[in-house]
Amino acid sequence: MAANIEQVTAQLTRLVRAKTGDPGASAHSLETLPGHAGFSYSFILERSTPTATPAGKFVVRMAAPAVKISGPADIQRQARIMASLAGTRVPVPPVLWHGDEPEFFDRPYFVVGFLDGFKLGESMLPRPHLQRLARKGVETMAALHNLPWQPRVYAFGEPFPLSEEMKRLDYLLDRPTLDPAVVARAPELRERLRSSLPDNARIGCVHGDFQWSNVLFNEERPVCVIDWEIALCGATLLDLGWICFFSDPASWVNRDLVATSPLSADEIVDTYAAATGFPVSRDEVNWFRSFAGYRFGVITCFNLMLHRRGKREDPQWEETALSAPRMFEHGLEMLG
Protein backbone atom coordinates (compact mmCIF):
# COMPACT_ATOMS: atom_id res chain seq x y z
CA MET A 1 0.00 0.00 0.00
CA ALA A 2 2.90 2.38 0.77
CA ALA A 3 4.21 2.17 -2.78
CA ASN A 4 0.73 2.87 -4.10
CA ILE A 5 0.39 5.93 -1.86
CA GLU A 6 3.74 7.20 -3.10
CA GLN A 7 2.68 6.74 -6.72
CA VAL A 8 -0.66 8.49 -6.23
CA THR A 9 1.06 11.31 -4.33
CA ALA A 10 3.37 11.90 -7.29
CA GLN A 11 0.48 11.76 -9.76
CA LEU A 12 -1.59 14.15 -7.64
CA THR A 13 1.28 16.61 -7.38
CA ARG A 14 1.53 16.66 -11.19
CA LEU A 15 -2.22 17.23 -11.39
CA VAL A 16 -2.43 20.09 -8.90
CA ARG A 17 0.55 21.86 -10.46
CA ALA A 18 -1.05 21.64 -13.89
CA LYS A 19 -4.50 22.73 -12.70
CA THR A 20 -3.38 25.58 -10.47
CA GLY A 21 -0.48 26.78 -12.62
CA ASP A 22 1.62 26.75 -9.46
CA PRO A 23 4.92 24.90 -10.03
CA GLY A 24 5.49 24.77 -6.28
CA ALA A 25 2.12 23.22 -5.40
CA SER A 26 2.21 19.80 -3.80
CA ALA A 27 -0.13 17.04 -2.63
CA HIS A 28 0.69 15.20 0.60
CA SER A 29 -0.76 13.43 3.65
CA LEU A 30 -2.82 10.97 1.58
CA GLU A 31 -5.27 8.74 3.46
CA THR A 32 -7.25 5.92 1.89
CA LEU A 33 -11.03 6.36 2.01
CA PRO A 34 -13.67 3.62 1.79
CA GLY A 35 -15.60 2.96 -1.40
CA HIS A 36 -16.30 0.28 -3.98
CA ALA A 37 -16.45 2.27 -7.22
CA GLY A 38 -12.77 3.03 -7.70
CA PHE A 39 -10.06 4.33 -5.38
CA SER A 40 -10.46 7.35 -3.10
CA TYR A 41 -7.99 9.30 -1.01
CA SER A 42 -8.10 12.44 1.08
CA PHE A 43 -5.05 14.68 0.72
CA ILE A 44 -3.68 18.10 1.56
CA LEU A 45 -3.06 20.56 -1.26
CA GLU A 46 -0.28 22.95 -0.27
CA ARG A 47 0.55 26.04 -2.33
CA SER A 48 3.84 27.85 -2.77
CA THR A 49 2.14 31.08 -1.72
CA PRO A 50 0.34 30.74 1.65
CA THR A 51 -2.67 32.84 0.58
CA ALA A 52 -3.19 31.10 -2.77
CA THR A 53 -6.38 29.15 -3.45
CA PRO A 54 -7.48 26.44 -3.80
CA ALA A 55 -5.60 24.97 -0.85
CA GLY A 56 -6.42 22.73 2.07
CA LYS A 57 -7.97 19.28 2.32
CA PHE A 58 -9.53 17.57 -0.70
CA VAL A 59 -10.62 14.17 -1.97
CA VAL A 60 -9.54 12.48 -5.19
CA ARG A 61 -11.38 9.52 -6.65
CA MET A 62 -10.21 7.61 -9.69
CA ALA A 63 -11.67 4.70 -11.61
CA ALA A 64 -10.23 1.28 -10.94
CA PRO A 65 -7.73 0.20 -13.61
CA ALA A 66 -8.88 -2.04 -16.46
CA VAL A 67 -12.60 -1.54 -15.88
CA LYS A 68 -15.20 -0.42 -18.38
CA ILE A 69 -15.97 3.25 -17.76
CA SER A 70 -19.75 3.03 -17.39
CA GLY A 71 -22.31 2.84 -14.62
CA PRO A 72 -20.72 3.07 -11.15
CA ALA A 73 -17.25 3.28 -12.71
CA ASP A 74 -18.10 6.46 -14.65
CA ILE A 75 -16.22 8.79 -12.34
CA GLN A 76 -16.74 11.91 -14.45
CA ARG A 77 -20.49 11.34 -14.47
CA GLN A 78 -20.45 11.42 -10.66
CA ALA A 79 -18.58 14.72 -10.80
CA ARG A 80 -21.12 16.20 -13.21
CA ILE A 81 -23.97 15.10 -10.96
CA MET A 82 -22.42 16.70 -7.87
CA ALA A 83 -21.62 19.88 -9.81
CA SER A 84 -25.24 20.06 -11.01
CA LEU A 85 -26.38 20.16 -7.36
CA ALA A 86 -24.11 23.02 -6.29
CA GLY A 87 -26.06 25.84 -4.66
CA THR A 88 -29.15 23.71 -3.97
CA ARG A 89 -30.53 22.42 -0.67
CA VAL A 90 -28.75 19.12 -1.35
CA PRO A 91 -25.28 19.44 0.20
CA VAL A 92 -22.49 18.04 -1.96
CA PRO A 93 -18.74 18.62 -1.98
CA PRO A 94 -17.51 21.38 -4.32
CA VAL A 95 -16.09 19.89 -7.52
CA LEU A 96 -12.68 21.31 -8.40
CA TRP A 97 -11.57 19.23 -11.36
CA HIS A 98 -12.48 16.11 -13.28
CA GLY A 99 -11.13 14.56 -16.42
CA ASP A 100 -9.43 11.57 -18.04
CA GLU A 101 -6.09 13.01 -19.18
CA PRO A 102 -3.67 10.05 -19.38
CA GLU A 103 -0.73 12.05 -18.01
CA PHE A 104 -2.21 12.11 -14.51
CA PHE A 105 -3.75 8.76 -13.53
CA ASP A 106 -4.28 7.12 -16.94
CA ARG A 107 -7.96 6.77 -16.06
CA PRO A 108 -10.87 9.10 -15.18
CA TYR A 109 -10.77 11.02 -11.91
CA PHE A 110 -12.35 13.83 -9.96
CA VAL A 111 -11.15 16.11 -7.17
CA VAL A 112 -13.65 17.57 -4.69
CA GLY A 113 -13.51 19.46 -1.44
CA PHE A 114 -13.30 17.49 1.80
CA LEU A 115 -16.34 18.00 4.04
CA ASP A 116 -15.93 16.81 7.60
CA GLY A 117 -18.91 15.03 9.14
CA PHE A 118 -20.11 11.89 10.86
CA LYS A 119 -22.57 9.12 10.06
CA LEU A 120 -25.55 8.73 12.35
CA GLY A 121 -24.71 5.10 13.10
CA GLU A 122 -21.30 6.12 14.41
CA SER A 123 -22.47 8.99 16.62
CA MET A 124 -22.81 8.94 20.40
CA LEU A 125 -25.31 11.81 20.43
CA PRO A 126 -28.54 11.21 22.39
CA ARG A 127 -31.24 9.42 20.41
CA PRO A 128 -33.64 12.41 20.29
CA HIS A 129 -30.82 14.49 18.77
CA LEU A 130 -30.11 11.76 16.20
CA GLN A 131 -33.79 11.60 15.34
CA ARG A 132 -33.86 15.35 14.67
CA LEU A 133 -30.84 14.99 12.41
CA ALA A 134 -32.37 12.00 10.64
CA ARG A 135 -35.51 14.00 9.88
CA LYS A 136 -33.32 16.68 8.33
CA GLY A 137 -31.68 13.95 6.28
CA VAL A 138 -35.08 12.83 5.00
CA GLU A 139 -35.93 16.46 4.22
CA THR A 140 -32.70 16.64 2.20
CA MET A 141 -33.86 13.63 0.20
CA ALA A 142 -37.18 15.39 -0.44
CA ALA A 143 -35.27 18.51 -1.54
CA LEU A 144 -33.37 16.40 -4.10
CA HIS A 145 -36.63 15.01 -5.44
CA ASN A 146 -38.13 18.50 -5.70
CA LEU A 147 -35.33 19.83 -7.89
CA PRO A 148 -36.20 20.38 -11.56
CA TRP A 149 -34.76 17.30 -13.24
CA GLN A 150 -34.96 18.43 -16.87
CA PRO A 151 -32.02 20.90 -16.60
CA ARG A 152 -29.94 18.12 -15.02
CA VAL A 153 -30.49 15.42 -17.64
CA TYR A 154 -27.00 16.14 -19.01
CA ALA A 155 -25.63 14.85 -15.68
CA PHE A 156 -28.18 12.27 -14.49
CA GLY A 157 -29.26 10.93 -17.88
CA GLU A 158 -32.70 10.52 -19.42
CA PRO A 159 -35.42 9.09 -17.14
CA PHE A 160 -34.94 5.37 -16.52
CA PRO A 161 -38.27 3.46 -16.44
CA LEU A 162 -39.12 1.10 -13.60
CA SER A 163 -39.77 -1.66 -16.13
CA GLU A 164 -36.16 -1.38 -17.31
CA GLU A 165 -34.88 -1.54 -13.74
CA MET A 166 -36.80 -4.79 -13.30
CA LYS A 167 -35.25 -6.15 -16.48
CA ARG A 168 -31.81 -5.26 -15.18
CA LEU A 169 -32.53 -7.30 -12.05
CA ASP A 170 -33.73 -10.19 -14.22
CA TYR A 171 -30.18 -10.38 -15.54
CA LEU A 172 -28.94 -11.01 -12.00
CA LEU A 173 -31.71 -13.33 -10.86
CA ASP A 174 -32.16 -15.66 -13.83
CA ARG A 175 -29.01 -17.68 -13.26
CA PRO A 176 -28.78 -21.41 -12.49
CA THR A 177 -25.68 -20.77 -10.36
CA LEU A 178 -27.64 -18.96 -7.63
CA ASP A 179 -28.39 -20.79 -4.38
CA PRO A 180 -32.09 -21.76 -4.60
CA ALA A 181 -32.45 -21.63 -0.81
CA VAL A 182 -31.38 -17.98 -0.84
CA VAL A 183 -33.45 -17.11 -3.93
CA ALA A 184 -36.48 -18.53 -2.10
CA ARG A 185 -39.63 -16.59 -3.09
CA ALA A 186 -37.89 -13.99 -5.26
CA PRO A 187 -39.58 -15.16 -8.51
CA GLU A 188 -43.00 -14.96 -6.84
CA LEU A 189 -42.30 -11.43 -5.58
CA ARG A 190 -41.01 -10.41 -9.00
CA GLU A 191 -44.28 -11.38 -10.65
CA ARG A 192 -46.33 -9.57 -8.01
CA LEU A 193 -44.25 -6.43 -8.47
CA ARG A 194 -44.41 -6.61 -12.25
CA SER A 195 -48.18 -7.05 -12.25
CA SER A 196 -48.66 -4.00 -9.99
CA LEU A 197 -46.05 -1.66 -11.48
CA PRO A 198 -47.02 1.97 -10.69
CA ASP A 199 -48.38 3.73 -13.79
CA ASN A 200 -47.64 7.36 -12.99
CA ALA A 201 -44.68 7.38 -10.64
CA ARG A 202 -43.34 10.88 -10.09
CA ILE A 203 -40.04 11.47 -11.92
CA GLY A 204 -37.11 13.38 -10.51
CA CYS A 205 -33.44 13.25 -9.58
CA VAL A 206 -32.77 10.05 -7.62
CA HIS A 207 -29.69 9.23 -5.56
CA GLY A 208 -30.18 5.48 -5.99
CA ASP A 209 -28.52 4.47 -2.69
CA PHE A 210 -29.97 6.95 -0.22
CA GLN A 211 -29.36 5.39 3.19
CA TRP A 212 -27.93 6.63 6.47
CA SER A 213 -24.36 5.60 5.66
CA ASN A 214 -24.35 7.90 2.63
CA VAL A 215 -25.21 11.11 4.49
CA LEU A 216 -22.66 12.96 6.62
CA PHE A 217 -23.86 15.27 9.41
CA ASN A 218 -22.60 17.82 11.83
CA GLU A 219 -24.49 18.39 15.08
CA GLU A 220 -27.04 20.64 13.34
CA ARG A 221 -27.75 19.30 9.85
CA PRO A 222 -26.56 17.20 6.91
CA VAL A 223 -23.29 18.51 5.49
CA CYS A 224 -22.77 16.15 2.58
CA VAL A 225 -24.57 13.46 0.59
CA ILE A 226 -21.96 11.07 -0.80
CA ASP A 227 -21.69 8.13 -3.22
CA TRP A 228 -23.58 9.19 -6.35
CA GLU A 229 -22.42 6.17 -8.40
CA ILE A 230 -25.89 4.90 -9.33
CA ALA A 231 -27.84 8.18 -9.35
CA LEU A 232 -30.42 8.55 -12.10
CA CYS A 233 -33.51 10.35 -13.26
CA GLY A 234 -36.38 8.09 -12.37
CA ALA A 235 -39.17 7.38 -9.92
CA THR A 236 -38.35 9.45 -6.83
CA LEU A 237 -39.94 6.93 -4.47
CA LEU A 238 -37.08 4.56 -5.29
CA ASP A 239 -35.06 6.50 -2.72
CA LEU A 240 -37.86 6.53 -0.15
CA GLY A 241 -38.45 2.79 -0.48
CA TRP A 242 -34.70 2.14 -0.21
CA ILE A 243 -34.11 4.05 3.02
CA CYS A 244 -37.28 2.55 4.51
CA PHE A 245 -36.00 -0.93 3.67
CA PHE A 246 -32.73 -0.27 5.48
CA SER A 247 -34.68 1.09 8.47
CA ASP A 248 -37.16 -1.78 8.76
CA PRO A 249 -36.15 -4.67 11.05
CA ALA A 250 -38.97 -6.80 9.62
CA SER A 251 -36.91 -7.33 6.44
CA TRP A 252 -33.92 -8.79 8.26
CA VAL A 253 -33.06 -11.89 10.23
CA ASN A 254 -30.03 -10.16 11.75
CA ARG A 255 -31.73 -7.02 13.01
CA ASP A 256 -28.44 -5.52 14.14
CA LEU A 257 -27.95 -4.52 10.49
CA VAL A 258 -30.71 -1.88 10.87
CA ALA A 259 -30.11 -0.95 14.50
CA THR A 260 -28.43 2.29 13.43
CA SER A 261 -31.66 3.81 12.04
CA PRO A 262 -32.88 6.58 14.34
CA LEU A 263 -36.32 6.57 12.68
CA SER A 264 -38.75 3.80 11.87
CA ALA A 265 -39.85 3.31 8.28
CA ASP A 266 -43.25 4.85 9.06
CA GLU A 267 -41.59 7.90 10.65
CA ILE A 268 -39.45 8.31 7.54
CA VAL A 269 -42.52 8.21 5.30
CA ASP A 270 -44.36 10.76 7.47
CA THR A 271 -41.37 13.10 7.46
CA TYR A 272 -40.97 12.77 3.71
CA ALA A 273 -44.65 13.36 3.02
CA ALA A 274 -44.58 16.55 5.10
CA ALA A 275 -41.41 17.81 3.37
CA THR A 276 -42.01 16.98 -0.26
CA GLY A 277 -45.16 19.03 -0.82
CA PHE A 278 -46.59 16.38 -3.14
CA PRO A 279 -49.21 13.74 -2.37
CA VAL A 280 -47.61 10.50 -1.18
CA SER A 281 -49.76 7.38 -1.59
CA ARG A 282 -49.19 4.74 1.08
CA ASP A 283 -50.00 1.97 -1.39
CA GLU A 284 -47.41 3.33 -3.79
CA VAL A 285 -44.87 3.69 -0.97
CA ASN A 286 -45.49 0.06 -0.03
CA TRP A 287 -44.77 -0.99 -3.61
CA PHE A 288 -41.44 0.81 -3.54
CA ARG A 289 -40.58 -0.60 -0.10
CA SER A 290 -41.32 -4.05 -1.46
CA PHE A 291 -39.28 -3.35 -4.57
CA ALA A 292 -36.34 -2.19 -2.44
CA GLY A 293 -36.34 -5.50 -0.57
CA TYR A 294 -36.56 -7.39 -3.86
CA ARG A 295 -33.77 -5.31 -5.39
CA PHE A 296 -31.37 -5.73 -2.50
CA GLY A 297 -32.31 -9.39 -2.11
CA VAL A 298 -31.48 -10.07 -5.76
CA ILE A 299 -28.20 -8.16 -5.43
CA THR A 300 -27.43 -10.30 -2.38
CA CYS A 301 -28.13 -13.55 -4.25
CA PHE A 302 -25.88 -12.47 -7.11
CA ASN A 303 -22.98 -11.27 -4.94
CA LEU A 304 -23.16 -14.40 -2.79
CA MET A 305 -22.79 -16.47 -5.94
CA LEU A 306 -19.75 -14.42 -7.03
CA HIS A 307 -18.21 -14.85 -3.58
CA ARG A 308 -18.73 -18.60 -3.43
CA ARG A 309 -17.35 -19.09 -6.94
CA GLY A 310 -14.24 -17.06 -6.09
CA LYS A 311 -14.97 -14.33 -8.63
CA ARG A 312 -15.39 -11.53 -6.09
CA GLU A 313 -14.60 -12.73 -2.61
CA ASP A 314 -16.48 -10.97 0.19
CA PRO A 315 -17.56 -13.15 3.13
CA GLN A 316 -19.94 -10.43 4.37
CA TRP A 317 -22.44 -11.64 1.78
CA GLU A 318 -22.74 -14.96 3.64
CA GLU A 319 -24.17 -13.12 6.63
CA THR A 320 -26.35 -10.81 4.55
CA ALA A 321 -27.73 -13.78 2.60
CA LEU A 322 -29.25 -15.21 5.77
CA SER A 323 -31.82 -12.41 5.51
CA ALA A 324 -32.49 -12.66 1.76
CA PRO A 325 -35.45 -15.07 2.02
CA ARG A 326 -36.96 -12.77 4.64
CA MET A 327 -36.51 -9.77 2.33
CA PHE A 328 -38.60 -11.49 -0.32
CA GLU A 329 -41.22 -12.68 2.18
CA HIS A 330 -41.64 -9.24 3.69
CA GLY A 331 -41.85 -7.75 0.20
CA LEU A 332 -44.84 -9.98 -0.47
CA GLU A 333 -46.36 -8.94 2.85
CA MET A 334 -45.96 -5.26 1.95
CA LEU A 335 -47.97 -5.83 -1.24
CA GLY A 336 -50.83 -7.36 0.78
Side-chain angles (χ1 to χ4, degrees):
M1 179 61 71
N4 186 42
I5 290 289
E6 291 174 3
Q7 178 186 11
V8 176
T9 298
Q11 294 169 325
L12 261 176
T13 294
R14 286 200 301 271
L15 172 73
V16 299
R17 288 177 178 176
K19 296 297 185 181
T20 63
D22 180 355
S26 64
H28 60 82
S29 304
L30 269 70
E31 295 183 7
T32 304
L33 298 176
H36 300 290
F39 299 101
S40 298
Y41 305 88
S42 65
F43 70 97
I44 302 298
L45 168 56
E46 189 171 340
R47 302 295 298 276
S48 58
T49 303
T51 57
T53 58
K57 194 169 186 178
F58 299 92
V59 171
V60 60
R61 173 170 284 192
M62 61 203 74
V67 299
K68 182 180 179 182
I69 304 303
S70 63
D74 192 342
I75 298 294
Q76 291 200 80
R77 177 178 181 270
Q78 297 168 40
R80 290 193 297 271
I81 286 171
M82 289 186 286
S84 79
L85 300 172
T88 72
R89 291 178 56 204
V90 182
V92 291
V95 178
L96 269 73
W97 310 299
H98 64 88
D100 58 2
E101 305 96 319
E103 63 265 30
F104 299 130
F105 306 106
D106 200 29
R107 54 192 187 274
Y109 67 90
F110 66 65
V111 176
V112 299
F114 180 90
L115 296 177
D116 198 13
F118 58 83
K119 298 178 183 181
L120 295 186
E122 301 168 351
S123 173
M124 300 303 292
L125 289 170
R127 186 170 179 81
H129 193 154
L130 293 177
Q131 289 175 324
R132 290 195 297 273
L133 290 177
R135 289 189 177 93
K136 291 184 179 181
V138 174
E139 291 166 0
T140 296
M141 180 176 66
L144 172 66
H145 297 167
N146 281 338
L147 290 175
W149 61 268
Q150 294 90 341
R152 295 175 172 84
V153 163
Y154 74 94
F156 283 80
E158 293 291 339
F160 195 75
L162 285 172
S163 58
E164 291 302 311
E165 179 64 17
M166 293 207 71
K167 289 180 183 177
R168 186 157 59 183
L169 292 171
D170 288 344
Y171 172 77
L172 304 183
L173 183 62
D174 292 333
R175 292 169 179 265
T177 50
L178 300 186
D179 185 337
V182 180
V183 170
R185 300 178 71 182
E188 180 183 352
L189 178 56
R190 172 171 60 184
E191 294 313 308
R192 289 285 307 280
L193 288 166
R194 188 165 279 145
S195 66
S196 57
L197 203 70
D199 293 325
N200 298 303
R202 184 167 172 266
I203 300 299
C205 297
V206 175
H207 181 274
D209 191 15
F210 203 102
Q211 53 177 301
W212 299 121
S213 63
N214 282 334
V215 186
L216 302 181
F217 294 82
N218 61 23
E219 292 194 3
E220 299 298 327
R221 62 187 179 278
V223 295
C224 188
V225 181
I226 60 174
D227 290 351
W228 293 88
E229 290 94 341
I230 57 175
L232 70 154
C233 278
T236 53
L237 292 188
L238 283 168
D239 279 341
L240 181 60
W242 193 248
I243 196 169
C244 284
F245 166 72
F246 282 103
S247 305
D248 182 6
S251 291
W252 302 81
V253 172
N254 181 356
R255 300 195 173 194
D256 290 341
L257 294 174
V258 291
T260 57
S261 176
L263 300 176
S264 70
D266 287 338
E267 288 171 328
I268 290 170
V269 174
D270 289 342
T271 303
Y272 180 85
T276 192
F278 290 89
V280 178
S281 161
R282 289 286 174 162
D283 287 343
E284 193 172 19
V285 168
N286 286 347
W287 189 95
F288 281 94
R289 288 178 62 180
S290 176
F291 181 70
Y294 170 72
R295 178 182 165 205
F296 190 73
V298 169
I299 291 169
T300 298
C301 292
F302 181 74
N303 282 322
L304 178 67
M305 178 269 292
L306 293 181
H307 165 67
R308 289 179 175 176
R309 291 167 66 88
K311 295 186 175 182
R312 193 185 302 161
E313 293 190 15
D314 186 347
Q316 180 62 41
W317 289 111
E318 292 283 358
E319 182 179 356
T320 305
L322 297 175
S323 292
R326 180 60 195 148
M327 295 174 195
F328 302 132
E329 290 171 359
H330 190 52
L332 288 163
E333 293 165 4
M334 292 295 301
L335 295 178

